[in-house]
Amino acid sequence: ERRPKAAEQLGTAAAVSDENRVAISREGGAEALVALLVTGSDDAKWHAARALRNLANNCEAKEAILKAGGIATLEPVVRHGKGKVKEAADEALKLLSQKQETKSIQATGHGKIAEGGPGDTIPNGESTRVAMFSARFDGGPIEQKIRKVFQILCDRKYDILMVAADAGQSFGDLTTKYLGRLHKE
């Protein structure tokens, strides 16, 4: 079957750059990957969930996944799936669910993030310079905080880069590429 390989290739491309994530989502990739979670083999579902996780690191691609019913499709896979399919779907669902959690988050004067707390909301970032997050991600609480901050800033139209290296990719190469963009801009 060609569908697992196609999903794997989309996931690899989505892990490389924001430009790829946007291109994949604009060409209907998010919809195809969500559909594959329903109709594909276990191998295809695993690759589709991993690809959706990588796509969800970009605000525009994340919106395309949400519009395609990504959360509603991933939830049963997380509840009833097994092994690596369930794990990959859970990772994708966590990233997609962050948008709903961050809508009412505000910045406090102490650099902390608080739900509905006092302080000014984070302003729109459309005219700001590009920025980048770089960290060792291990699935722990620090990673979750960084991903939440990333999503908050994306939701407010900041141009934020975050390296999402997948298996077979070099974290260092992706970081170097993003640092090059930072230097140019």
Side-chain angles (χ1 to χ4, degrees):
E1 184 180 8
R2 295 183 306 201
R3 295 186 312 169
K5 187 68 175 169
E8 179 183 17
Q9 290 171 341
L10 286 174
T12 299
V16 172
S17 72
D18 244 12
E19 293 81 17
N20 288 353
R21 289 185 275 277
V22 169
I24 290 166
S25 67
R26 287 184 181 170
E27 294 298 321
E31 293 85 355
L33 290 165
V34 169
L36 194 55
L37 284 171
V38 176
T39 62
S41 65
D42 282 349
D43 194 39
K45 288 177 183 180
W46 178 61
H47 286 298
R50 289 177 64 236
L52 289 169
R53 178 200 64 205
N54 292 338
L55 281 175
N57 284 305
N58 172 275
C59 298
E60 184 176 330
K62 187 175 190 175
E63 287 300 320
I65 297 167
L66 293 171
K67 286 180 184 171
I71 289 179
T73 305
L74 284 162
E75 285 175 337
V77 177
V78 170
R79 278 195 302 271
H80 307 294
K82 292 186 171 83
K84 66 182 186 178
V85 174
K86 179 177 183 166
E87 185 178 312
D90 187 51
E91 290 173 3
L93 185 60
K94 284 178 183 171
L95 284 174
L96 291 170
S97 298
Q98 286 178 357
K99 180 171 183 180
Q100 282 76 24
E101 295 172 11
T102 60
K103 280 190 175 176
S104 65
I105 293 182
Q106 298 175 325
T108 68
H110 305 295
K112 296 180 181 175
I113 295 177
E115 297 241 358
D120 298 328
T121 61
I122 297 172
N124 185 302
E126 285 180 334
S127 62
T128 59
R129 295 180 61 199
V130 65
M132 181 175 118
F133 287 124
S134 178
R136 292 271 180 215
F137 289 159
D138 61 2
I142 301 240
E143 176 182 347
Q144 296 309 312
K145 285 180 186 177
I146 289 171
R147 289 190 183 280
K148 274 188 178 181
V149 170
F150 171 78
Q151 190 58 53
I152 290 166
L153 295 174
C154 284
D155 289 346
R156 286 166 179 78
K157 310 275 189 239
Y158 284 83
D159 187 4
I160 304 292
L161 305 172
M162 185 165 67
V163 176
D166 208 357
Q169 296 179 322
S170 169
F171 179 85
D173 290 346
L174 293 173
T175 301
T176 300
K177 179 181 177 180
Y178 283 177
L179 287 172
R181 180 173 169 208
L182 287 171
H183 181 72
K184 282 192 293 187
E185 295 181 28

